[in-house]
Each structure stands twice: as C-alpha cells, then as structure tokens.
Amino acid sequence: MKILFISYDFPFPPSGGSISRDYNLIKQLSKHHELHWINRTIRGKIKKEYKDEMKKYFKEMNIVEWDYSQNPAGLLKSMITKTPYIIKRFESDQMKDLVSKKISENKFDLIFCDHIYLSQYISDTIPGNIPVIPNNEDCGFTYYKRMTENSGFTRSVYARSQWKKLLEYEIEVLKKYKVYITTSEKEKELISEYYNEAEIGVIENGVDTGFFSPKLRDDPVPNIVFTAWFKYYPNVKAAIDFTNNVFPEIRKKIPGIKFYIVGKEPPPVVKKLENTEGVTVTGYVNDIRDYLKNADAAVIPLQIGGGTRLKILEAMSMKIPVVSTPLGAEGLEVEDGTNILIAQNDEDFVNKVVNVINDKQLSGKLSENGRELMLEKYDWEISGNKLNQFLNSYVKNFNSK
C-alpha cells in the first residue's frame, strides 16, 4: 500500500518512549509498504545524519521543524475554554496545508495518523473517501484523570480542567473515523467504557531483542536503575518519590548500593536528587545498555501515566530483573513472581528490591523468564506484523463497503 504517515516527533535516535515505538513500527511497515512522511518535530532543527537515517524507510519526507515550548497564557486560557491545551498547542495551518497538498498530489491507500492529536490536520472531506487510522500510545484523558489524584494542588487543578475535555475530543475522533489503535487491552478497555462503536486495534509496544540482549556486567557494585525521559511528568514524580521514600530504606539494608536515574532532559528538581547519598542523575546517555547491563534490578516506580512501558521491555530483554508498581506494569502480560515483581506500596518496594538482590535464585528466575517473554511476545517484528495485518484488513474492509 501507499501510506501517508503523519507524526509529531522525530523518532531518531530512538531514545525511549513514543519515539522508540514510532521508529520501530516505521521500520517494520517499510518492509511491506511505500511510506510517505509528514513529521512535525518538537525539537527544532534536526541533524542531517538523523534525517539520512530516516530516508531508509520513506519514499518521500517532509519535516516541519518546530521548537515546542509551553505557553503559560495558553495553558491558563485552556482551563476556561472547550479545547484542551494539548490540542490547541498542536494547531498548525502549515501542517493542515501540507497534509492537504500531499493528499491532492498522491493517491494514498491509507493515512496513518500517528497520534490522535494530529487528526486535526486532516480535512473534513477525507473521512469516507480515504481510510484514516489514528494511533495513540495511551488514552490521554486517563493521564490527566490520574494526575488529579496523585499530584500537588496546582497540577491537580489543571488536570481536573483538562481530562473531561480530552475525553470528549478523543470520542469525537473515534466517532469520526470509527477506528483507533492503542498499545494494550487495558487502554482499549479504558476508552471502550466511554465509546464502544469503533474498531480498536491493540498493537503492543515492543523491544529490539537483538539490540537489547544480555551483556556481561563490568561493575560489581550493587545498584538499581530507573531509565526514563524526564519531559514526561509522571517520570519526574516517580524519580522524586522513589528517591525520597524508598531508596533510603533500601540503602539501610544494602549499604553502599547506588541508584542511577538515567535519561534525557532531567529538570532541576530531578538533578537535585543527586544530593541524596548514593544517587546519580546521568542526563542523556549515548547507550542506556551501559547502565542496564550492570544493574541488579530496574525499578519502575510510576504512580500516574498510561500506555505500556518500553523501559520494562528493554530491561527484561537484557535479563535484568524488574520491580514495578502495579500501574508501571499495567497493560503488559507479565506475572508477579514469575517474570516481574509488583510492589503494592513503598515498604513492599523496599522489600522486593532487597530480595531480588540478595536472592540469586529469584533473580535468575526473573531474568530467564523475562527474556523468554520478550522473545515470544514483545519483539518489534511481532508487533510490526500484527500492525501490518490490522492495516491490510481494515483497508480491505473499508474499500469493500
């Protein structure tokens, strides 16, 4: 098929989160289809070598370079208007014009809108004429809904002003296109509670099991690691809460243990965590495998957010035991005590991290079973094939109506 792929962030280098998903699904789809790309970056100017990498997968590329920054005035205004802030921030006449131009110049078999927020760039004349499939890593409204319950006063007030608006927006998109892709059965259930008349495909996140393969450890000092992108507020909150409430108790039981907070764009509140004994905040690293391979465990202390966690898949693929909150592992087909440890509260988190470090039999069991699960269910090639089948089936049915 000839597919127009519309996305909002530049997916190379694939340093975690949604851009890892984008990069790997693009790679998989390019094996079967002719891809044309309209990408609105959120990071300004993109390096030539990064663009050259993406040229491997696209027949044509149109990159709109944009420096995304928060708009405090717009944020406050969104609290009293119907349009959610995130939708307003992504408004772009340039993108609308570019999308319309490319559709008029080409006979596309499918438009793949790689985030539900980007559907605003597609003209109202398109639905019913060309198949359009919105993709979403998670239900955005659940992120804000949970934020109302697990945040400070200011964030909670803002989140309360947004989540119902975003839910209404997502439902409008579902009604318009009658199709949707998300990352887990849990996410499918969440949106289906509010609207169940769309065809919802579940394409799980994955991992490159060849790249994230077991490596020899070269640092024997006991340590745990949290890998994340810190422009995403749930990761910031998780790092702060774990450092303040959990790690000091672990250190009492395992003196000298280290905690590495690894990931790009840590804000000052995260950098300040290095004032806690034993904590290192790395910022961006060229290769997170250098930290994962030496870890006794990867910790996922998330209390808010949605989607499925690439950080869990990457650790498991490298045979690193994972200790997570229930929310952190939500949407993944994992089993507590078999291939992961699920901590119900701070005290439980402390005990499970200590146990997995001290009990080598338990650690080995989790490591082997985790790797096996990645190979059987979560390799990106599996997710790519599943996505390809869904797209082909949907387009076939659309054209037969």
Side-chain angles (χ1 to χ4, degrees):
M1 288 191 296
K2 188 174 183 178
I3 299 175
L4 176 61
F5 194 100
I6 306 171
S7 60
Y8 80 93
D9 198 359
F10 201 86
F12 191 84
S15 51
S18 61
I19 60 173
S20 253
R21 177 178 171 88
D22 287 355
Y23 177 73
N24 284 285
L25 291 181
I26 286 167
K27 281 179 67 175
Q28 296 300 322
L29 285 179
S30 71
K31 296 176 183 179
H32 309 283
H33 306 287
E34 179 184 302
L35 302 183
H36 294 244
W37 195 24
I38 297 178
N39 176 255
R40 189 186 194 199
T41 79
I42 61 174
R43 304 180 194 283
K45 196 76 175 172
I46 303 298
K47 294 180 180 178
K48 180 181 180 300
E49 55 264 37
Y50 295 171
K51 293 180 182 178
D52 289 343
E53 167 64 24
M54 296 310 298
K55 284 179 182 177
K56 298 176 185 176
Y57 311 114
F58 290 101
K59 174 80 172 180
E60 179 189 20
M61 301 197 320
N62 292 271
I63 311 300
V64 178
E65 294 170 330
W66 173 47
D67 263 322
Y68 180 93
S69 59
Q70 297 291 352
N71 179 348
L75 189 150
L76 290 172
K77 185 178 179 181
S78 73
M79 297 176 71
I80 56 173
T81 57
K82 182 181 178 181
T83 305
Y85 173 70
I86 188 68
I87 306 304
K88 192 72 176 174
R89 286 293 292 129
F90 275 88
E91 282 185 352
S92 170
D93 289 337
Q94 181 184 11
M95 284 293 290
K96 287 180 181 179
D97 292 344
L98 182 56
V99 169
S100 294
K101 180 174 183 289
K102 293 302 169 183
I103 291 174
S104 68
E105 292 174 350
N106 295 273
K107 185 174 177 56
F108 291 116
D109 299 295
L110 170 68
I111 300 171
F112 190 86
C113 193
D114 196 37
H115 206 294
I116 201 165
Y117 306 157
L118 307 185
S119 62
Q120 62 184 298
Y121 302 145
I122 299 172
S123 166
D124 288 338
T125 63
I126 298 302
N129 295 310
I130 304 173
V132 177
I133 300 182
N135 174 53
N136 217 11
E137 289 85 22
D138 52 51
C139 301
F141 77 91
T142 60
Y143 165 61
Y144 289 100
K145 187 177 181 182
R146 285 167 173 164
M147 193 185 292
T148 67
E149 304 159 357
N150 295 280
S151 301
F153 177 77
T154 302
R155 280 187 182 273
S156 180
V157 169
Y158 168 68
R160 275 197 293 272
S161 78
Q162 297 295 304
W163 81 265
K164 288 185 180 179
K165 297 175 187 177
L166 201 49
L167 172 61
E168 289 174 3
Y169 182 88
E170 292 187 21
I171 290 174
E172 285 177 11
V173 173
L174 287 176
K175 287 179 177 178
K176 188 174 187 178
Y177 298 113
K178 300 294 186 182
V179 65
Y180 182 73
I181 288 174
T182 191
T183 58
S184 73
E185 291 294 337
K186 180 65 176 179
E187 296 291 326
K188 180 178 178 178
E189 290 172 14
L190 288 169
I191 193 64
S192 295
E193 288 178 13
Y194 299 93
Y195 186 79
N196 61 6
E197 296 180 27
E199 183 177 356
I200 300 181
V202 176
I203 308 299
E204 292 87 353
N205 276 330
V207 62
D208 185 336
T209 55
F211 185 80
F212 287 98
S213 59
K215 306 292 181 186
L216 287 176
R217 182 171 183 163
D218 56 22
D219 183 358
V221 176
N223 75 88
I224 54 179
V225 62
F226 176 45
T227 61
W229 175 48
F230 292 101
K231 280 285 188 180
Y232 184 55
Y233 173 70
N235 290 332
V236 172
K237 179 172 172 54
I240 293 170
D241 290 349
F242 187 85
T243 300
N244 292 338
N245 304 325
V246 179
F247 182 63
E249 298 303 313
I250 295 173
R251 196 168 172 85
K252 287 178 185 177
K253 298 187 177 186
I254 306 179
I257 189 172
K258 295 181 179 180
F259 177 36
Y260 290 100
I261 300 172
V262 181
K264 60 186 178 183
E265 301 178 90
V269 290
V270 172
K271 291 177 182 177
K272 265 178 60 176
L273 298 177
E274 285 201 305
N275 295 334
T276 302
E277 189 174 5
V279 175
T280 298
V281 179
T282 67
Y284 174 80
V285 297
N286 289 326
D287 194 340
I288 64 169
R289 295 176 301 172
D290 293 338
Y291 289 87
L292 285 172
K293 72 179 182 181
N294 289 317
D296 291 280
V299 296
I300 317 295
L302 289 162
Q303 299 292 346
I304 54 176
T308 55
R309 316 299 169 200
L310 287 160
K311 52 180 72 73
I312 289 182
L313 307 183
E314 291 164 353
M316 282 187 169
S317 190
M318 291 187 68
K319 289 190 173 183
I320 306 302
V322 175
V323 185
S324 174
T325 60
L327 179 65
E330 186 179 74
L332 295 175
E333 292 186 23
V334 292
E335 184 179 345
D336 185 21
T338 298
N339 44 39
I340 196 170
L341 295 181
I342 304 296
Q344 300 298 330
N345 51 50
D346 288 350
E347 182 180 1
D348 196 25
F349 219 129
V350 171
N351 291 333
K352 285 185 171 171
V353 169
V354 172
N355 286 345
V356 81
I357 293 175
N358 290 336
D359 187 339
K360 299 306 177 187
Q361 186 174 351
L362 173 62
S363 175
K365 173 187 172 183
L366 296 173
S367 298
E368 293 296 331
N369 290 342
R371 173 70 179 176
E372 184 177 345
L373 178 65
M374 296 304 101
L375 292 170
E376 290 180 354
K377 184 170 180 62
Y378 287 103
D379 187 274
W380 275 122
E381 187 168 352
I382 297 170
S383 296
N385 288 335
K386 190 174 180 180
L387 175 60
N388 185 50
Q389 291 169 12
F390 183 86
L391 299 187
N392 285 331
S393 175
Y394 181 78
V395 172
K396 181 180 179 181
N397 291 337
F398 181 96
N399 291 332
S400 66
K401 292 176 181 178

